[in-house]
Amino acid sequence: MTVHNFGAGPAILPKEVLEEAARAVVNYKNSGLSLLETGHRTETFQEVMHEARQLVRELMSLNDEMEVLFLHGGATLQFLQVPLNLLSEKGFASYTETGTWSVKAIREARFVGRIEIAGSSKENNYYSLPEQLHITPGADYLHITTNETISGTQWQQIPFDAGVPLVADMSSDILSRRLPFNRFALIYAGAQKNLGAAGVALVVVNKNLLGKTGRTLPTMMDYRNHIAEGSMLNTPPMFAVYVVLLTLRWLKGKGGVEAIEQHNEEKARLFYDTLDALPVFTSPVSRQYRSRMNAVFTINNPELEKKFLERCKAEGMIGVKGHRSVGGFRVSMYNALPLESVKAITDLMKDFANQYG
Ligand SMILES: *Cc1c(COP(=O)(O)O)cnc(C)c1O
């Protein structure tokens, strides 16, 4: 049976990437060694790190002000490391409160300094995004979560014109669409959704904004140390970086961000058009904020919920159950998910609606 992986993360990876990664476990590039038993200071691994960094630069069209880092601790450590590096001792930062992940980012940032909320969609159960932002002049930065993985919203209009440096958690939509990446002060993303394997986070930061907080940071917390050491301040998560490299090569081979954006649009269109045409299913997310990466939806008759999930399971559709905090269903359509998988689940949905609608 073909398995379709709609899981939210760690998520689907291209088959070619998995096969090549598997070879590297046993014998990396015919060196007779596994990449897992190779020193991180060797030329072999330096090349991996270098190419991964270069491919990020190329795929995002980064300029020379932007630095690319591969760090441990996931996006969750970035919730803390970002304010440590960008929030000045006497200043404040502005955050949008748009779902589970931004709430966590806000909670960590408050350990560091003063945070104001620029806009919230809490009263709408995070199924929308704030229509307007209110930012007190002088904020050190504005933080957004470009794609809220759990409630299924995605910023289509990025607030570049807010008049403050913009920081974005892009964990679940990094490199899924064209964006003017150089206009961000800082971008971070855990790799395990759209970029590779768990264990590494990508950070892209404008180096001109660093070192201005008035705060002395412990070594591992200071981005400038990671920049100086090329993301090798200590032993990097080597294999996770390697899987990122393979995924970036795959993405480049597919035609890069522009091509994948079209592919992602096509998948999302097919999914939401099907959903909207079937009265038995509903999306709680406001139409203009729907995520192209994570489609969140429910079934109108709660008694059918279990039946639908059983049917998905029987047909090899993995990871369709919604996050435990919101229930319902979630279909994640990351870069590596083929259109065929979306066809498969929309066919199943139509069939299910015919049977029970
Ligand atoms: C998954 C996710 C995180 C957490 O990532 P970790 O790498 O597990 O820390 C943060 N933000 C968003 C938007 C996510 O989807």
Side-chain angles (χ1 to χ4, degrees), residues 125-157:
N125 292 321
Y126 302 122
Y127 290 134
S128 67
L129 292 171
E131 303 268 332
Q132 275 190 323
L133 299 180
H134 303 279
I135 301 159
T136 308
D140 285 327
Y141 62 88
L142 170 68
H143 180 282
I144 65 169
T145 307
T146 50
N147 188 79
E148 282 282 2
T149 324
I150 293 175
S151 48
T153 63
Q154 187 176 32
W155 291 78
Q156 303 305 340
Q157 304 290 331

Side-chain angles (χ1 to χ4, degrees), residues 38-46 229 232-235 238:
T38 300
H40 62 292
R41 305 280 174 202
T42 58
E43 204 171 308
T44 306
F45 186 72
Q46 300 282 339
E229 297 297 324
M232 304 247 266
L233 198 49
N234 66 333
T235 315
M238 294 169 59

Side-chain angles (χ1 to χ4, degrees), residues 38-269:
T38 300
H40 62 292
R41 305 280 174 202
T42 58
E43 204 171 308
T44 306
F45 186 72
Q46 300 282 339
E47 277 171 13
V48 169
M49 186 61 100
H50 177 76
E51 189 187 342
R53 193 161 41 226
Q54 284 311 115
L55 274 175
V56 170
R57 302 199 74 88
E58 184 181 332
L59 289 163
M60 296 177 106
S61 304
L62 297 179
N63 66 32
D64 290 345
E65 291 176 16
M66 307 301 269
E67 294 284 351
V68 175
L69 297 173
F70 294 102
L71 304 180
H72 300 262
T76 302
L77 186 59
Q78 294 311 309
F79 295 161
L80 177 66
Q81 199 165 2
V82 165
L84 282 173
N85 283 271
L86 296 183
L87 174 52
S88 58
E89 291 263 24
K90 298 194 178 74
F92 65 97
S94 197
Y95 276 65
T96 53
E97 186 194 42
T98 56
T100 307
W101 294 114
S102 58
V103 165
K104 288 185 191 222
I106 292 164
R107 192 196 305 143
E108 293 308 297
R110 286 197 161 126
F111 282 105
V112 180
R114 192 155 63 85
I115 301 302
E116 66 167 34
I117 303 300
S120 174
S121 54
K122 185 175 182 185
E123 60 186 35
N124 201 10
N125 292 321
Y126 302 122
Y127 290 134
S128 67
L129 292 171
E131 303 268 332
Q132 275 190 323
L133 299 180
H134 303 279
I135 301 159
T136 308
D140 285 327
Y141 62 88
L142 170 68
H143 180 282
I144 65 169
T145 307
T146 50
N147 188 79
E148 282 282 2
T149 324
I150 293 175
S151 48
T153 63
Q154 187 176 32
W155 291 78
Q156 303 305 340
Q157 304 290 331
I158 307 288
F160 289 116
D161 298 324
V164 286
L166 187 61
V167 173
D169 176 359
M170 288 195 196
S171 294
S172 50
D173 68 349
I174 185 99
L175 291 172
S176 71
R177 55 174 169 168
R178 280 172 301 162
L179 287 174
F181 295 107
N182 291 311
R183 292 186 72 185
F184 291 87
L186 191 148
I187 295 163
Y188 63 94
Q192 68 277 15
K193 277 134 190 170
N194 227 355
L195 208 56
V200 66
L202 170 69
V203 174
V204 174
V205 58
N206 186 320
K207 63 184 171 197
N208 297 334
L209 298 170
L210 298 176
K212 300 198 158 112
T213 61
R215 182 182 294 113
T216 308
L217 292 177
T219 313
M220 277 292 274
M221 286 295 109
D222 194 327
Y223 290 131
R224 290 174 302 172
N225 296 329
H226 292 282
I227 292 170
E229 297 297 324
S231 301
M232 304 247 266
L233 198 49
N234 66 333
T235 315
M238 294 169 59
F239 205 79
V241 172
Y242 179 63
V243 178
V244 169
L245 167 60
L246 295 178
T247 308
L248 294 170
R249 278 188 196 153
W250 170 85
L251 180 56
K252 186 178 168 181
K254 285 273 152 191
V257 181
E258 184 171 357
I260 210 74
E261 174 178 17
Q262 276 172 22
H263 186 234
N264 289 334
E265 272 173 14
E266 193 180 349
K267 288 183 290 178
R269 198 175 317 118

